[in-house]
Amino acid sequence: MQSLKKKEIKINNKEKITKICIDDFAIKKGHTYGTIMIDIESHKVIDIIFSRENNDVSEWLKSYPNIKVVSRDGSITYKNAISIAHPSAIQISDRFHILKNLTEYCKQYLTKYFKAKVIINNNLDNKPKSKNIINYSQNEKVLKAMQMFNVGIKKAKICEALKLNIKTLNKILEFDELDINYYGKSKLRIIQEERLKNKQEIINEAREMRKNCIPISKIAKALNLDRRTISKYLDEKTTGISTRLGVKRKSKLDQYINYIDKLIEIGVTSKTIYSKIKEMGYTGSESLIRNYKAQNKNNNYTSIVTTEVKRSSLIKLLYKPISKIKELSNEIVNKIYNSYPIYKEIINLVIEFKNILSSRTIDEFDRWIHKATELNINEINSFVNGITRDIDAVKNAVLYEYNNGLAEGVINKLKLIKRIMYGRCNFNLLKNKILRLENLKFN
């Protein structure tokens, strides 16, 4: 071991090295890193240095005068170092790292876009069969329940017909007349009805006084009202009911209600509904949609059968074909595509990118970048910006067969040697050991 530490192994025939792949590895993770060089043609480890900094790597590469091809990952530091040392060398970005970055960015977006479980409607292609359900107001339910109970209908049947809990029904059957009147009404509605009742009493009193030939001025004084108000009250067409009572104020949701109801039926989230109607010109807030859903949660929509699909299963489609994913089928995926068109766009984008890499059709590459940018998704834009900064090396990855698989494999072996030597390993010993093993292997 002492001889390994002291005796540095010389690297011969540097001028014969023309095609290499380089990659970094951790000497002390998060602190110090080294760079390893492998000959693409012989698969032999050529050299290792105790750095991955720009200046150190460029000086190191200059000592190999005839390098023509360098395969590497997407590191901009390595790109600059190679450009300084060998400006005319062909740099090739590793296809595995490029595709991994794309799928990771897509995964990040889909994780935010979908809930943990995605609900799809099994009846999207068919007309759903409506249930014959009558929607009763709360007061109507109370009166109907009492009426049904009085004619001898069993409680279980009443609960089923009116969609009531047995505890609620028992409570309803104990109501007196006042309770029935107030049951299910909001505080605002109760206040409005009290005002209506008081106003109607004043109108009736004014008309009674007028029948007794009392002048309008005296009626107005007695009731502490304006004479014009009394004249209005004496008109037979006037009632205590306000013209605005029960009239719903206009909402920014009004023109989208039918579309929103359809989306609610198939279990689409408020956030997704907001995104969809925003594209249609909606200018309101997402909270309006949430409030609308909350107010209408007890509405009886058409009878539909739904299926839950895990988000993790949908993300698997970034990496595997449908036939390799047990939880998915062509039918389920097509329904997801119909409900979530952006998901289809992303999956197709990944498939197209894989096809470009495998078929080496460089002519399609610029069109793919344009299509990806048009989606206007931050995560995909980040990926496009990354490959655009290193566009020549990425295009070379499409054109050439070289990759960084050799370096990845050697680094795995290097990590194993590090673990075996744990506690008595410095960089020089590690370097000499690996290079000696390579010399024994190839001589």
Side-chain angles (χ1 to χ4, degrees):
M1 186 177 288
Q2 290 298 325
S3 62
L4 274 176
K5 287 182 179 179
K6 292 177 182 177
K7 190 174 180 181
E8 186 173 346
I9 297 174
K10 291 183 179 179
I11 299 162
N12 300 319
N13 301 322
K14 286 188 174 184
E15 65 280 353
K16 292 183 179 180
I17 307 298
T18 58
K19 298 175 183 177
I20 62 168
C21 56
I22 61 172
D23 203 356
D24 64 339
F25 64 93
I27 297 166
K28 185 178 180 182
K29 197 168 184 179
H31 296 276
T32 53
Y33 289 83
T35 302
I36 193 167
M37 180 193 295
I38 298 104
D39 187 341
I40 290 176
E41 294 181 323
S42 67
H43 297 190
K44 180 183 177 182
V45 177
I46 300 165
D47 201 358
I48 307 173
I49 60 166
F50 187 74
S51 177
R52 63 174 181 181
E53 298 301 320
N54 190 337
N55 294 335
D56 296 329
V57 175
S58 62
E59 289 299 320
W60 178 52
L61 292 173
K62 283 178 184 177
S63 65
Y64 295 83
N66 298 321
I67 290 176
K68 304 297 181 188
V69 176
V70 183
S71 176
R72 57 173 175 79
D73 59 16
S75 169
I76 298 300
T77 302
Y78 283 160
K79 173 193 173 184
N80 295 334
I82 296 164
S83 299
I84 293 168
H86 298 283
S88 60
I90 297 170
Q91 297 190 44
I92 301 169
S93 189
D94 184 51
R95 287 189 292 278
F96 169 78
H97 286 94
I98 297 170
L99 190 56
K100 181 176 181 289
N101 288 342
L102 173 60
T103 51
E104 284 300 311
Y105 277 121
C106 292
K107 181 180 177 181
Q108 286 175 22
Y109 175 75
L110 293 177
T111 302
K112 292 193 300 185
Y113 183 73
F114 287 123
K115 286 187 173 182
K117 290 184 179 178
V118 181
I119 299 172
I120 57 170
N121 178 13
N122 290 340
N123 297 329
L124 279 176
D125 301 326
N126 306 317
K127 290 184 179 179
K129 297 177 182 178
S130 298
K131 289 183 179 179
N132 294 322
I133 296 174
I134 301 171
N135 287 325
Y136 295 105
S137 69
Q138 297 281 35
N139 290 89
E140 288 172 337
K141 273 190 180 182
V142 172
L143 295 172
K144 189 70 177 175
M146 288 184 165
Q147 183 183 2
M148 292 170 78
F149 183 74
N150 290 335
V151 296
I153 298 174
K154 292 182 179 180
K155 290 184 179 180
K157 293 286 185 182
I158 299 172
C159 289
E160 185 180 351
L162 300 177
K163 300 295 178 187
L164 290 172
N165 184 287
I166 188 66
K167 291 182 179 178
T168 306
L169 178 60
N170 289 333
K171 184 179 177 181
I172 285 171
L173 296 176
E174 296 174 359
F175 280 175
D176 57 25
E177 189 175 342
L178 188 63
D179 291 330
I180 294 170
N181 186 46
Y182 287 149
Y183 181 73
K185 293 180 181 178
S186 66
K187 289 183 180 179
L188 179 62
R189 181 69 177 176
I190 293 168
I191 291 169
Q192 287 174 337
E193 289 185 355
E194 288 292 334
R195 286 176 180 169
L196 185 152
K197 182 182 175 183
N198 294 337
K199 184 177 178 182
Q200 190 63 50
E201 287 175 357
I202 293 171
I203 290 171
N204 292 338
E205 188 178 350
R207 289 174 180 175
E208 196 64 36
M209 292 172 75
R210 186 60 180 158
K211 283 180 182 178
N212 295 329
C213 300
I214 298 174
I216 291 176
S217 58
K218 289 188 178 182
I219 297 172
K221 190 173 182 180
L223 298 178
N224 199 24
L225 293 172
D226 190 272
R227 282 180 294 176
R228 286 167 294 186
T229 303
I230 297 298
S231 298
K232 184 180 173 183
Y233 284 179
L234 295 176
D235 186 346
E236 291 181 359
K237 294 179 182 178
T238 302
T239 65
I241 301 171
S242 170
T243 54
R244 292 179 295 175
L245 184 66
V247 177
K248 188 179 176 183
R249 285 161 54 176
K250 288 185 178 180
S251 167
K252 291 183 178 181
L253 286 178
D254 288 346
Q255 59 181 309
Y256 310 103
I257 289 298
N258 291 336
Y259 181 61
I260 291 170
D261 285 342
K262 288 178 183 177
L263 294 178
I264 293 173
E265 283 184 23
I266 60 174
V268 178
T269 62
S270 299
K271 188 172 185 178
T272 306
I273 294 172
Y274 174 68
S275 301
K276 287 177 179 291
I277 65 173
K278 192 176 181 182
E279 291 173 2
M280 298 165 66
Y282 174 65
T283 56
S285 66
E286 188 182 333
S287 61
L288 270 180
I289 301 165
R290 289 198 299 271
N291 291 338
Y292 177 77
K293 282 187 74 175
Q295 290 165 5
N296 295 276
K297 66 182 178 181
N298 293 323
N299 280 7
N300 292 306
Y301 292 105
T302 52
S303 175
I304 48 179
V305 181
T306 59
T307 301
E308 283 188 353
V309 182
K310 289 182 180 178
R311 178 176 60 196
S312 57
S313 299
L314 298 178
I315 289 172
K316 284 179 185 177
L317 205 54
L318 294 169
Y319 308 98
K320 301 177 183 179
I322 297 172
S323 57
K324 299 281 185 179
I325 305 170
K326 291 181 181 179
E327 303 89 348
L328 297 181
S329 65
N330 288 320
E331 184 183 0
I332 289 173
V333 170
N334 286 334
K335 286 175 181 175
I336 292 286
Y337 284 167
N338 289 333
S339 298
Y340 305 95
I342 193 66
Y343 176 66
K344 183 179 181 180
E345 294 278 354
I346 290 170
I347 296 299
N348 288 339
L349 200 69
V350 173
I351 291 170
E352 285 176 25
F353 194 80
K354 288 178 181 178
N355 291 337
I356 289 170
L357 292 178
S358 60
S359 62
R360 308 200 184 286
T361 50
I362 193 66
D363 296 337
E364 295 292 317
F365 193 74
D366 290 331
R367 186 190 65 79
W368 184 92
I369 289 177
H370 178 70
K371 184 177 178 181
T373 307
E374 281 187 334
L375 290 179
N376 198 27
I377 295 171
N378 291 336
E379 288 79 1
I380 292 177
N381 287 342
S382 296
F383 172 76
V384 171
N385 292 338
I387 62 173
T388 304
R389 284 198 303 267
D390 198 18
I391 192 68
D392 292 333
V394 173
K395 286 185 175 181
N396 286 336
V398 178
L399 292 171
Y400 294 93
E401 293 184 358
Y402 305 116
N403 61 67
N404 242 33
L406 280 172
E408 299 295 336
V410 170
I411 287 171
N412 280 339
K413 186 168 72 173
L414 183 149
K415 289 176 180 177
L416 176 62
I417 294 169
K418 270 180 61 185
R419 283 193 285 271
I420 293 170
M421 298 171 64
Y422 180 75
R424 56 184 187 276
C425 173
N426 62 29
F427 177 75
N428 290 332
L429 178 58
L430 178 65
K431 175 181 175 180
N432 289 343
K433 186 158 188 161
I434 289 170
L435 295 182
R436 281 205 173 196
L437 287 170
E438 290 296 305
N439 288 338
L440 288 171
K441 181 178 170 183
F442 285 91
N443 290 334

